[in-house]
Amino acid sequence: MLAVKSVKQSYVPSEDVLVLLETFRKMVNDCLRIGLANDASSLKRLSLLSYRELRGYSCPSYYKLCAISRAVGVLAANKKSNRRGFTPRSPYALKPQLVSCYGFKVENGLLKIPMGRRRYRDIPLTMHTLSVLSESGLRVRSFTLTASTLSLTFSKEVREIECTNTVGVDRNLRNLTCGNEEEVVQYDLSETIRIAKNTRRIIASFKRDDARIRRKIASKYGRRRTARTNQLLHIATKHLVTSAANHGEALVLEDIRGIRRLYQRGNGQGRKRRARMNGWSFSEAQRQIEYKANWAGLPVIQLTIRETRGTSTTCPRCGERLQSDSRLERKLWCGKCRWLMDRDVVAAINIARRGRLRFDRSLPDSQAKGGAAEAMKGNPTPMVILRVDAPKSTCPTTS
């Protein structure tokens, strides 16, 4: 199967590159204007409507095709938001940029960008970028330029790992729990809560009555918070995917889209509680797991909302509903089994079991496991859980 990744670096643009970025931005905005006026969000229709309008721009023709494709993606996202009941602002490209998959070359440590009439502009690649692209079997597919950064997208063909088991991944605010009946591992992410809290406190401490300056400061500290949080998630997800690949276990993810609706104003939670939960990067954790698993050739099973329901409140042994107690914090107990369990561990085990049902159905009859089913009432299944507390996400990566 085809796996795709990207690498990002900084660079210093020349004057002609800045002019090209601004030209591409104007072409995208022209396509957006034409698409909104004619209610066109498909590539074929927008190309027919806007290609003649773009003839006045002096740039290679394939940049015009890329501008149309970029506008189609924005228009499709805007149309989807309208269908879901949101009322987004009219789409408009503010920052200069250039996205293309045609005509460029990577030679002698340089990215050669076509400027027209067989002219190229060279951008030096950093040592990190060159080391990433030095892996055999890679193919550079496209590049994205802004006024200060360069991003290269590359791909390779990977062989899918034949898995014999599944491992459930339960995403929580303070940890990332993964495991099954044999072993459960927790990766501590409580540092992300402290980072978010400090960022909110710093932004709130600025009292200058100038919205532009406050917005600039909030954007600066927001980017720093995102970078630090993503790095912690990167370390945890890297250990998770590596461990699953070494054991030949398919990853199973739950569907928790729409969880933000539980923490809106007026739902009974305090402001601090809503701020913590709405700053939870659960989608970023899923994105990192999916692209790393795809790069390693590891299958990922995405449960539906219906299959996800009740994963943290159902006893893995007997299928009874677990009971909670405010004195037990995140512990739950089963009135039938008399068993005290951590709710995150319970969720990971149940997610792994529900994913295994679908995983076994996709296998040939000769490879499918017999009896791999979720615990149900009246059908107790003996199970031994070995819980291993993983080190914090700052532990060194194993080779």
Side-chain angles (χ1 to χ4, degrees):
M1 63 179 181
L2 187 67
V4 181
K5 287 179 71 174
S6 65
V7 61
K8 190 176 182 180
Q9 71 167 59
S10 300
Y11 81 107
V12 179
S14 59
E15 289 297 328
D16 51 355
V17 170
L18 291 176
V19 171
L20 184 59
L21 297 181
E22 183 64 22
T23 301
F24 188 84
R25 184 187 72 87
K26 292 179 180 178
M27 290 192 297
V28 172
N29 286 329
D30 285 347
C31 295
L32 290 175
R33 173 179 53 81
I34 295 171
L36 292 173
N38 296 274
D39 192 22
S41 58
S42 65
L43 182 60
K44 181 178 180 180
R45 188 180 178 200
L46 188 61
S47 299
L48 294 174
L49 291 172
S50 60
Y51 195 79
R52 181 173 297 179
E53 297 286 336
L54 301 181
R55 288 192 300 183
Y57 291 98
S58 177
C59 66
S61 60
Y62 36 75
Y63 289 152
K64 301 175 184 178
L65 296 176
C66 293
I68 296 172
S69 178
R70 177 72 173 171
V72 166
V74 176
L75 291 171
N78 184 74
K79 195 171 184 179
K80 183 178 180 180
S81 297
N82 288 326
R83 287 199 306 265
R84 295 171 62 186
F86 300 102
T87 54
R89 292 182 294 181
S90 180
Y92 186 80
L94 290 174
K95 297 182 179 180
Q97 61 175 340
L98 175 62
V99 182
S100 178
C101 55
Y102 305 109
F104 67 95
K105 303 176 183 178
V106 177
E107 294 179 351
N108 301 323
L110 300 172
L111 173 66
K112 296 181 177 294
I113 301 174
M115 305 297 293
R117 297 181 180 178
R118 299 182 180 179
R119 293 185 299 110
Y120 289 87
R121 173 60 63 182
D122 297 340
I123 297 180
L125 302 179
T126 62
M127 294 299 296
H128 171 68
T129 302
L130 292 175
S131 64
V132 171
L133 298 179
S134 62
E135 183 180 346
S136 62
L138 295 185
R139 176 192 171 194
V140 182
R141 303 177 65 89
S142 65
F143 70 89
T144 302
L145 281 179
T146 65
S148 59
T149 61
L150 162 66
S151 178
L152 290 173
T153 302
F154 53 93
S155 65
K156 73 172 182 179
E157 289 288 339
V158 297
R159 186 176 63 181
E160 186 172 351
I161 299 175
E162 294 192 7
C163 300
T164 58
N165 203 353
T166 57
V167 58
V169 180
D170 181 49
R171 290 163 286 165
N172 303 287
L173 181 63
R174 298 180 181 273
N175 62 70
L176 193 65
T177 306
C178 62
N180 48 32
E181 301 92 336
E182 300 174 359
E183 182 181 7
V184 179
V185 181
Q186 284 188 333
Y187 298 92
D188 186 14
L189 297 176
S190 57
E191 180 68 13
T192 60
I193 302 177
R194 189 190 67 81
I195 293 172
K197 182 179 179 181
N198 287 344
T199 303
R200 291 194 300 270
R201 178 180 56 81
I202 292 172
I203 293 175
S205 65
F206 293 97
K207 303 298 183 182
R208 185 165 179 174
D209 191 17
D210 191 326
R212 294 171 298 178
I213 294 178
R214 288 203 308 269
R215 190 183 304 115
K216 189 174 181 180
I217 293 174
S219 177
K220 170 189 172 181
Y221 283 96
R223 289 193 301 268
R224 189 182 74 164
R225 167 189 170 181
T226 300
R228 297 176 67 187
T229 300
N230 289 354
Q231 177 63 17
L232 294 172
L233 289 173
H234 164 69
I235 298 173
T237 54
K238 183 177 180 179
H239 280 90
L240 189 154
V241 173
T242 303
S243 176
N246 292 336
H247 292 87
E249 296 171 328
L251 295 173
V252 185
L253 297 175
E254 57 182 340
D255 190 351
I256 54 178
R257 291 176 299 175
I259 197 171
R260 303 282 193 212
R261 300 172 188 169
L262 302 178
Y263 302 99
Q264 295 177 348
R265 182 178 299 179
N267 287 358
Q269 300 98 353
R271 186 176 65 179
K272 293 183 179 179
R273 172 68 174 173
R274 294 200 311 271
R276 284 198 303 269
M277 297 305 298
N278 288 323
W280 176 23
S281 303
F282 63 88
S283 294
E284 175 63 20
Q286 178 173 344
R287 185 192 70 83
Q288 293 191 15
I289 290 173
E290 287 179 341
Y291 91 77
K292 290 174 185 177
N294 190 26
W295 192 258
L298 198 65
V300 177
I301 301 173
Q302 178 69 55
L303 298 181
T304 63
I305 296 179
R306 185 173 184 179
E307 292 172 320
T308 304
R309 189 175 295 116
T311 51
S312 60
T313 57
T314 303
C315 178
R317 284 186 170 181
C318 62
E320 291 285 343
R321 183 175 179 84
L322 297 174
Q323 306 298 321
S324 61
D325 193 325
S326 59
R327 297 170 297 178
L328 299 177
E329 295 183 357
R330 297 190 64 80
K331 301 286 185 179
L332 300 175
W333 61 279
C334 180
K336 185 175 181 179
C337 301
R338 301 297 178 181
W339 190 33
L340 187 65
M341 295 163 282
D342 186 286
R343 65 181 303 150
D344 301 333
V345 175
V346 170
I349 296 172
N350 285 330
I351 291 171
R353 285 186 164 183
R354 298 182 186 187
R356 193 181 310 146
L357 294 175
R358 189 190 299 177
F359 179 73
D360 288 342
R361 286 197 296 267
S362 65
L363 293 176
D365 295 339
S366 59
Q367 299 180 13
K369 287 187 177 181
E374 184 181 359
M376 301 180 65
K377 293 182 180 180
N379 183 26
T381 55
M383 177 182 58
V384 178
I385 299 177
L386 173 62
R387 179 176 176 182
V388 178
D389 288 330
K392 292 187 178 181
S393 56
T394 54
C395 61
T397 307
T398 58
S399 57

